[in-house]
Amino acid sequence: MLLKTETRHQIQRFRQEPKRRLLIVESVTQLTPNMRRIIFTSPELRDFVSLSPDDHIKVFLPDPSAPRGTDMRDYTPRAFDPARGALTIDFALHDAGPATLWALAAKPGDRLEIGGPRGSSVAPDDFDHYLLVGDETALPAIGRRVESLRAGVPVTTAVMVEGPQEVQHFETRADWRPIWLFRAGQHCDDAALLRDALRHWRAPEGDGYVWIAAEARTARVLRDYMIEECGHPKAWLKAAGYWTRGKAGAAEKFEG
């Protein structure tokens, strides 16, 4: 007797040899007051590959205070056009560190080095619905995933930003239902506010994939809530700490 092998919902992982590339700024656009989009071009992007919406590349930034005069930060490839050799990166202007300073001063013709991605964790587009949760640092990955999902599939996004001026719109074939939460300049508890929003969310029928990215403590609280209180399967959830409060440039990634 042959046993049926489950082929749906298989998370695939791919590795790549890390490679440094020198990019040139083509254009700079202020998407919102706290989000700046920079498009880079380079012949060195001819073999660039990014398989997952939440891939990360290393961005090498000038920083005189760093031991080697360079600081490294993780950023999401927001979009890549292989025909033009054009890579889009959205910079969240949420601190006064070297990344924000560089992005604010960037102009066409400026150069920047990147490395990676080192690998990809690819969640298939065969789930019955999707839930994507995060803060402004997660918006590049959230936007890329929403735009890439198949026609008609339900996807809910719950995102914490400073105010209505930070809302973004994504063109998508999916059945996208956005939830925007605003700090309104207050020192809010992102974890508590996002968790309250999720308590009012009702999952559609079927198998769902949950993706969470935010400040490290916030991501952990939301991950634990989805697994322990909502009973969501660990195998169908990915959570990541994209930054750590009080520690510039520190990220903490964890899954399940």
Side-chain angles (χ1 to χ4, degrees):
M1 178 179 177
L2 295 177
L3 296 177
K4 183 179 178 180
T5 302
E6 178 61 61
T7 58
R8 297 187 72 212
H9 311 332
Q10 297 297 307
I11 311 298
Q12 294 184 289
R13 290 174 172 79
F14 301 89
R15 302 296 298 173
Q16 295 188 51
E17 283 295 322
K19 180 178 180 180
R20 288 181 71 143
R21 297 173 170 88
L22 181 63
L23 311 183
I24 300 171
V25 175
E26 179 185 77
S27 65
V28 180
T29 304
Q30 196 72 31
L31 289 183
T32 69
N34 290 322
M35 188 70 74
R36 176 164 280 208
R37 173 166 294 173
I38 301 181
I39 298 178
F40 301 86
T41 58
S42 172
E44 297 184 15
L45 288 168
R46 60 186 174 274
D47 59 349
F48 182 84
V49 176
S50 176
L51 299 175
S52 178
D54 61 349
D55 281 347
H56 283 86
I57 56 174
K58 289 288 183 185
V59 171
F60 300 93
L61 299 152
D63 182 4
S65 66
R68 296 185 178 181
T70 303
D71 190 18
M72 294 186 298
R73 299 292 174 95
D74 286 338
Y75 276 87
T76 300
R78 178 60 177 81
F80 178 59
D81 182 345
R84 289 205 317 116
L87 176 66
T88 300
I89 303 176
D90 288 354
F91 289 79
L93 310 177
H94 61 91
D95 59 29
T100 292
L101 294 174
W102 187 91
L104 286 172
K107 61 187 183 302
D110 286 351
R111 298 186 174 194
L112 184 72
E113 273 196 303
I114 66 165
R118 296 180 64 92
S120 303
S121 176
V122 180
D125 189 6
D126 66 0
F127 285 90
D128 298 305
H129 59 89
Y130 293 79
L131 173 64
L132 314 175
V133 186
D135 59 20
E136 48 271 277
T137 63
L139 273 173
I142 288 175
R144 184 174 164 185
R145 190 177 296 273
V146 168
E147 291 170 352
S148 67
L149 288 171
R150 69 187 186 274
V153 64
V155 53
T156 299
T157 59
V159 183
M160 173 70 71
V161 294
E162 285 299 318
Q165 70 276 10
E166 295 301 323
V167 169
Q168 296 187 27
H169 178 73
F170 308 128
E171 296 293 334
T172 180
R173 300 169 301 161
D175 179 11
W176 176 39
R177 305 171 190 187
I179 300 169
W180 295 97
L181 302 172
F182 306 131
R183 299 187 193 93
Q186 304 299 314
H187 294 288
C188 298
D189 185 342
D190 286 10
L193 293 176
L194 284 165
R195 184 175 54 197
D196 287 345
L198 295 180
R199 285 197 174 106
H200 292 92
W201 173 72
R202 293 294 175 264
E205 293 295 323
D207 300 337
Y209 180 76
V210 175
W211 184 90
I212 300 166
E215 191 277 330
R217 174 187 166 273
T218 297
R220 284 189 178 277
V221 167
L222 298 176
R223 179 202 63 175
D224 292 348
Y225 170 75
M226 292 303 303
I227 293 173
E228 296 172 7
E229 296 190 41
C230 298
H232 190 82
K234 289 184 179 181
W236 299 344
L237 180 149
K238 182 177 180 180
Y242 271 12
W243 58 286
T244 304
R245 195 172 305 280
K247 298 180 180 180
E252 181 183 353
K253 295 182 175 59
F254 44 86
E255 297 183 23

